[in-house]
Structure formats: C-alpha cells, structure tokens
Amino acid sequence: MALTDIWFLLIAVLWTGYLVLEGFDFGVGMLLPIVGRDAIDRKVTLRTIGPVWDGNEVWLLVAGGATFAAFPFWYATLFSGFYLALLIILVALILRGIALEYRGKIDDATWHRRWDLVIVGGSAVPALLWGVALANIVRGVPMGADHEFAGSFFTLLNPYALLGGLTTLLLFALHGAVFLALKTHGDVHDRALKVVPPLGIASVVAAAGFLGWTQTLDGSWITWALAVAAALCLIGGLIASRLGREGWAFLGTAATIALASATLFTTLYPNVLPSTTDPAFSLTTLNAASTPYTLKIMTWVAVIFTPLVVLYQGYTYWVFRARLGRTDFPTPVQKVAS
C-alpha cells in the first residue's frame, strides 16, 4: 500500500473511533430529559460520561489534524465549502462542553435546567450535522477544476444528506440509551431500556434506507458486505438488549456505527471528495495528498504515539467501569429551623 492509502485508512479509523465514542456521548445528552426525571437522575445520567466525554473529543481533533497534514487540499476544500455547517457544529460542541463543566457549579434548579437545554441541543445538533456532512462527502459536491466548492449551505441539505443526518441522530440516541443501560442501575437504567425498542426500530428503518441508497451511488460487493454486517450487528444489539445483555447490546450498536462508517469510507475510496460537476475534478488520495516526505514523518509519529493514546483512554474506561445509580448520589439532608 502507498502512504496515501495508509493515511486514508488511518483517517477513516480516526473518524470511526470518534463516531463510536462520541456517539454515545451525544446519545446520553439527547436523552437527558427523558431518562432524568429529577435532579439526582440527571446527575447520574451525566456522571456516566463525565470522566470520558472530553477524551472522546480528542479523536475529532486528531482526525482533523491528520486530514490537514496528510491531505491539505481535501481539508481546504472541505472546510471552506462546509464552513457554515462545521461552524455550527463547533459552536454546539463548545456550548455543550461549557454546559457539562458549569452545570454543577451552582446548586440551583433554574441554573441546572438552562444548562440541561444546552446539553440537549449541543448533543443533537452535531449528531445530525455530522451525518449530513459525511453523506455529502460520499455523495460529492459541485466542484470545478480548481477544486473550489461551487455550492452553498443549502446545497448540502439534499435528501440523501438529510437522511444521513437522521440516521446518525437516531443511531447515536440508540447508542446512548444502550450505554446508559450498561452503566447505570435503578430508575435511569429502566427508563433507558424502555426507549431502546422505539429508537431501535427507527434506527433500523433509517439506516437501511441510507446504506441502501449509498450502494446505488458506487456500491461494490465489499460495501454491500459491510452494510449487511452493520444491519446484523444492529439487530443483534437490539436482541441482546431485550435479553438483558447490556454489554453485548452496547458492542452491537458500537459495531453498527463502526461498520456503517466503514461502508461510507470504502464507498468513497479512492476519492476523498467527489465532484458532482465532473468526475475529473474530484479530489483523490493522490491529487489531494501532502508530499511523500511529510507522510513518512507523520507515519513514524503515528506509530509511536497512537498506541499510547489508545492505551491511556482504555485505562480511563477501565477505572470508571462501575455502574451508577441514585444510591451513589444521596439526597442532601435538609436542615429544619428550630
């Protein structure tokens, strides 16, 4: 394999890792008002992602940095053409991070309620728009010989991309519900399990439609196999949840997102951003890549540091593996005036 192919594969892995890990973060945030009926339940819900959510976002930073360094022309066209959509995602992520950090600074119901709304919105907006962005990357955008994006923000809001956004929104919500069932006990656990079946059915319909549509763009036997595997993992995860096997259910939804991402990137290759104006104007792994010397240096850096990052994050998940419930957050004793 050429270094350009290796770096396309590595970037695909980084984006897949981000979607799987940040996916359940988004899902937990979106489900906060559904599974958290009172202050203690909401505290339990948010504490499940408290130790890991910021570490999960590291995958996004590394994926963006790797894209910039390995394929600068892809990065330039992508971030100029998708500027408004990516800006909205960035603002939502910033507000969500602020809300997660500042919500507990003041013990006041109104303060908590306002930040809870920010958490819900800051989770739902990226969950939707990442799907829209990925779908447009696979489908292609209007682009001339100069590789400049020739559309507008509304060009990105085509039916295929909107279906992609709906698919990621539902899959992440389902992923979050299964994660909560795995990480909690008591009321939050029971409410999370109740939303799994309806979210599962909606996710199956949306994902089947989106991945089926993707195959009509540039499908092959490999992408068909990946899409079918994703569907089987999703169904298997729902069955496992029904049987009370939360660990296997979470593995099923995680594998579904990973395989769906693999389907998209395999469909995209060897392009990195197709042109709907003329296929000859498309950006590929060859004409969008950095110099061989740059890719060689990056490869050595990745070989050394990537395993360290993965090991550290895996250790974090291991340390905070215990289930949480209301008994872990007792209600403060109210002082009675004499």
Side-chain angles (χ1 to χ4, degrees), residues 17 33 44 86 92 98 102-103 120 122 163 180 270 286 294 304 320 331 337:
V44 171
L86 295 177
I98 293 173
Y102 277 82
R103 182 187 184 276
V120 173
L163 180 58
L180 283 173
L286 294 178
T294 300
I304 295 171
F320 296 99
T331 304

Side-chain angles (χ1 to χ4, degrees), residues 55-123:
N56 293 341
E57 290 193 345
V58 171
W59 289 77
L60 173 61
L61 299 177
V62 177
T67 303
F68 171 76
F71 299 101
F73 295 103
W74 183 17
Y75 183 94
T77 302
L78 185 64
F79 278 77
S80 60
F82 292 42
Y83 180 80
L84 182 55
L86 295 177
L87 177 62
I88 294 173
I89 292 175
L90 179 61
V91 171
L93 290 176
I94 291 173
L95 292 175
R96 175 174 171 268
I98 293 173
L100 288 169
E101 291 292 341
Y102 277 82
R103 182 187 184 276
K105 299 297 183 181
I106 299 177
D107 188 14
D108 178 75
T110 302
W111 173 269
H112 291 169
R113 186 165 55 251
R114 290 172 179 172
W115 285 121
D116 288 346
L117 292 175
V118 175
I119 291 172
V120 173
S123 300

Side-chain angles (χ1 to χ4, degrees), residues 38-58:
D38 58 24
I40 297 179
D41 283 347
R42 288 190 287 274
K43 186 180 291 187
V44 171
T45 301
L46 293 176
R47 193 62 63 88
T48 61
I49 62 172
V52 298
W53 71 266
D54 49 355
N56 293 341
E57 290 193 345
V58 171

Side-chain angles (χ1 to χ4, degrees), residues 6-247:
I6 292 174
W7 273 98
F8 178 85
L9 177 61
L10 182 57
I11 289 172
V13 170
L14 291 171
W15 277 107
T16 300
Y18 171 71
L19 295 174
V20 170
L21 296 176
E22 191 83 307
F24 69 76
D25 278 358
F26 291 148
V28 170
M30 287 186 283
L31 295 174
L32 180 60
I34 297 175
V35 300
R37 301 293 176 82
D38 58 24
I40 297 179
D41 283 347
R42 288 190 287 274
K43 186 180 291 187
V44 171
T45 301
L46 293 176
R47 193 62 63 88
T48 61
I49 62 172
V52 298
W53 71 266
D54 49 355
N56 293 341
E57 290 193 345
V58 171
W59 289 77
L60 173 61
L61 299 177
V62 177
T67 303
F68 171 76
F71 299 101
F73 295 103
W74 183 17
Y75 183 94
T77 302
L78 185 64
F79 278 77
S80 60
F82 292 42
Y83 180 80
L84 182 55
L86 295 177
L87 177 62
I88 294 173
I89 292 175
L90 179 61
V91 171
L93 290 176
I94 291 173
L95 292 175
R96 175 174 171 268
I98 293 173
L100 288 169
E101 291 292 341
Y102 277 82
R103 182 187 184 276
K105 299 297 183 181
I106 299 177
D107 188 14
D108 178 75
T110 302
W111 173 269
H112 291 169
R113 186 165 55 251
R114 290 172 179 172
W115 285 121
D116 288 346
L117 292 175
V118 175
I119 291 172
V120 173
S123 300
V125 170
L128 174 70
L129 291 184
W130 278 131
V132 172
L134 288 171
N136 276 294
I137 291 173
V138 174
R139 173 182 175 268
V141 295
M143 191 165 51
D146 57 358
H147 302 308
E148 292 289 337
F149 178 69
S152 66
F153 174 74
F154 296 102
T155 305
L156 305 178
L157 303 181
N158 54 80
Y160 173 73
L162 291 175
L163 180 58
L166 177 63
T167 300
T168 53
L169 183 75
L170 291 171
L171 280 177
F172 291 166
L174 174 64
H175 197 34
V178 173
F179 176 77
L180 283 173
L182 174 65
K183 284 289 294 178
T184 62
H185 56 81
D187 294 339
V188 174
H189 171 272
D190 296 340
R191 294 189 192 113
L193 281 181
K194 286 183 180 179
V195 301
V196 168
L199 283 175
I201 294 172
S203 298
V204 168
V205 174
F210 177 62
L211 292 179
W213 195 340
T214 301
Q215 299 312 304
T216 66
L217 300 178
D218 192 18
S220 65
W221 69 268
I222 299 177
T223 56
W224 271 112
L226 290 171
V228 171
L232 292 176
C233 286
L234 179 55
I235 295 172
L238 294 176
I239 294 173
S241 177
R242 181 73 175 177
L243 297 175
R245 304 296 297 273
E246 284 94 359

